[in-house]
Amino acid sequence: RQEDLADLTPELRALVNAWDPIGVADMQPDEYDYLTGLILARLELGEDQASFCEFMSHEASDLSGSAESGDAFGALVFAWF
C-alpha cells in the first residue's frame, strides 16, 4: 500500500501547490510537502469527508488566516482520492 501512496504523492503535491494558500508555491515548490504527507495518511486511514474538510479548514486557517478555502480544497482532495 505504501507504493500506492508514493504514486499519488506527485499528483497530490500538484493539487496542493495549485491551491497555494500563502502564495509561495512558485518560489518554494516543497513548501507544502509536510501537508501532502498528512493528507495522504488521513485519507488512507479512511477519515470521513466532514472530518477531513474540518482538518483542511484548520490547516488553511493556520497558514493564511482563512478557513474557507480549506473546506473547499478538502472537498476537492477528498473527491480526488
Side-chain angles (χ1 to χ4, degrees), residues 5 12 35-56 58-59 78 81:
L5 292 179
L12 179 58
L35 188 55
T36 301
L38 290 174
I39 289 170
L40 284 175
R42 293 176 84 103
L43 292 172
E44 185 186 29
L45 289 172
E47 185 166 24
D48 64 83
Q49 184 171 354
S51 296
F52 180 73
C53 288
E54 184 177 325
F55 162 73
M56 289 307 305
H58 178 75
E59 288 296 315
F78 196 86
F81 188 73

